[in-house]
Amino acid sequence: MKLGKRSILGCYLSILVVLPHSQGRTSSPVVINTWNFLSACQEAWKVLEQDGAAIDAVEHGCSRCESEQCDGTVGFGGSPDESGETTLDSMIMDGETFNVGAVAALRRVKSAISVARKVLENTHHSILAGSQATLFAKQMGFEEEWLNTTESENKWQTWRENNCQPNFWTNVSPDPSQNCGPYESVGQEAARVPFGQSGNHDTIGMIALDSNGKMVAGTSTNGANHKIPGRVGDSPIPGAGAYVDSEVGGAAATGDGDVMLRLLPSFTAVEAMRSGMSPQLAAQEAIDRITKKYPDFIGAVVALKKSGEFGAACHGIAEFPFSVANKEMGGAKVIVVTCQTRTFVSRNM
């Protein structure tokens, strides 16, 4: 499924499932992730249904998506940047301690979520980036290998032959809507290329609740297709790509990362749940805050409360599939929801 292929002003979805409330620190395990990445959800559920830890579930689930190259937007061999290289962003967050481990623009190492976990568990830092993150990964025992594939190199070559269209440059010369670089800065106003038109969409964002009541969130992606080298989106940024507090719940976002990291939708959704909102309403609140500033935003938010209740909201697409697993559902299922039109009217006070 590609974002930005439907012409609608905006949309939202709502789904609400109430699961049995936890007693003390005993919980009914649940895992939820963005998109119809069912095998990732199933992999995480294998851990949780055996009373495993939420952090293991998130790592295993996201790792599965990385190895399967989910939709070409997670893992190696996808979303080449302007130089033709695939780089990876990932994050994992502990809802008990608020500790975060993340990697941004990780080069030449496939297991981004596992490297992110090493940042969390083996350093006092939160985010490592670029070639230095690669050096760290090698110290932790990860293999260095080229992430490009024949498919990604062909995609990059086709993009070059199409005059580097689309791209993410603005206010430069020569005209980036008709030419490849190199570019020079100019003082003119240029239109922004819609994120979905660049073939960008599906990050995996996952939240897990284990039988001990602990919650963990994680993300993994190869970023924006044909991005400017060095670009970092929302996925490795706490509060943007994902956020979790075991006393409240967790959320994960997918879509235009350059917009989402400005408005922190995952943090917004968790804080909305803290104030008493259901996960669905909290996710919608996060989406609404974005679309009031960016009406053309394309993306979605999933949310999971500590009680096991979950929900989601989206904007700019016709439908949004996400994956959930719990005992009541008998394992992992994909839920496809149809978005309904939602518009905002500006009021002059």
Side-chain angles (χ1 to χ4, degrees):
M1 158 178 188
K2 299 281 187 179
L3 288 180
K5 297 299 186 183
R6 310 293 175 92
S7 176
I8 58 176
L9 291 175
C11 58
Y12 78 100
L13 62 88
S14 65
I15 178 165
L16 183 65
V17 175
V18 180
L19 303 177
H21 286 266
S22 59
Q23 300 295 324
R25 295 297 289 171
T26 302
S27 301
S28 179
V30 187
V31 60
I32 182 171
N33 61 260
T34 53
W35 304 107
N36 54 344
F37 301 150
L38 187 62
S39 60
C41 192
Q42 290 170 332
E43 195 71 23
W45 180 243
K46 288 178 184 178
V47 176
L48 295 177
E49 69 176 343
Q50 298 297 322
D51 294 327
I55 193 167
D56 293 330
V58 169
E59 182 185 10
H60 290 190
C62 289
S63 291
R64 181 65 178 267
C65 220
E66 289 171 350
S67 64
E68 291 187 353
Q69 303 168 278
C70 284
D71 215 12
T73 57
V74 180
F76 69 99
S79 301
D81 64 20
E82 284 195 341
S83 69
E85 183 179 1
T86 294
T87 58
L88 307 177
D89 297 337
S90 183
M91 177 187 67
I92 193 162
M93 180 174 182
D94 185 330
E96 294 283 305
T97 64
F98 292 152
N99 283 349
V100 171
V103 289
L106 176 67
R107 305 179 70 190
R108 302 184 301 278
V109 177
K110 286 184 177 180
S111 304
I113 188 70
S114 295
V115 179
R117 183 171 179 177
K118 289 294 185 182
V119 176
L120 184 150
E121 294 180 338
N122 297 113
T123 81
H124 289 292
H125 300 315
S126 295
I127 304 175
L128 298 180
S131 295
Q132 290 86 352
T134 303
L135 291 176
F136 168 80
K138 290 172 65 178
Q139 289 183 43
M140 294 293 101
F142 293 91
E143 180 183 357
E144 184 175 10
E145 55 187 315
W146 196 243
L147 301 183
N148 290 15
T149 62
T150 300
E151 182 179 355
S152 69
E153 290 175 353
N154 288 341
K155 179 183 291 186
W156 175 76
Q157 187 62 44
T158 298
W159 175 78
R160 290 285 301 179
E161 292 171 355
N162 191 39
N163 295 321
C164 302
Q165 302 303 309
N167 60 60
F168 292 93
W169 290 90
T170 184
N171 299 333
V172 294
S173 178
D175 183 353
S177 68
Q178 300 180 32
N179 301 279
C180 296
Y183 304 104
E184 294 183 355
S185 178
V186 296
Q188 65 185 27
E189 193 67 25
R192 184 176 184 271
V193 176
F195 193 75
Q197 288 184 12
S198 298
N200 298 291
H201 43 112
D202 313 340
T203 296
I204 185 169
M206 178 177 285
I207 312 118
L209 167 68
D210 67 27
S211 59
N212 291 316
K214 295 182 178 181
M215 298 187 74
V216 171
T219 66
S220 188
T221 183
N222 50 38
N225 203 20
H226 310 309
K227 58 186 173 286
I228 299 169
R231 178 262 190 187
V232 175
D234 67 298
S235 294
I237 308 301
Y243 194 79
V244 64
D245 180 345
S246 292
E247 295 183 357
V248 179
T254 180
D256 186 340
D258 292 290
V259 167
M260 292 192 294
L261 62 80
R262 302 167 192 168
L263 289 123
L264 305 178
S266 297
F267 177 79
T268 297
V270 172
E271 291 306 299
M273 289 189 288
R274 192 189 305 277
S275 72
M277 285 189 184
S278 69
Q280 181 272 316
L281 290 178
Q284 188 63 57
E285 172 68 14
I287 290 291
D288 288 351
R289 289 197 188 184
I290 295 174
T291 57
K292 286 175 183 177
K293 295 290 185 181
Y294 297 92
D296 296 328
F297 170 73
I298 299 169
V301 173
V302 295
L304 173 65
K305 210 167 186 177
K306 68 175 183 178
S307 64
E309 182 182 341
F310 61 85
C314 74
H315 188 271
I317 49 177
E319 60 184 22
F320 173 61
F322 62 97
S323 305
V324 184
N326 58 39
K327 291 179 180 177
E328 286 74 14
M329 297 175 69
K333 307 288 185 184
V334 173
I335 300 173
V336 179
V337 287
T338 301
C339 304
Q340 301 175 24
T341 300
R342 182 180 180 90
T343 59
F344 296 93
V345 177
S346 299
R347 298 179 182 274
N348 295 320
M349 302 300 292

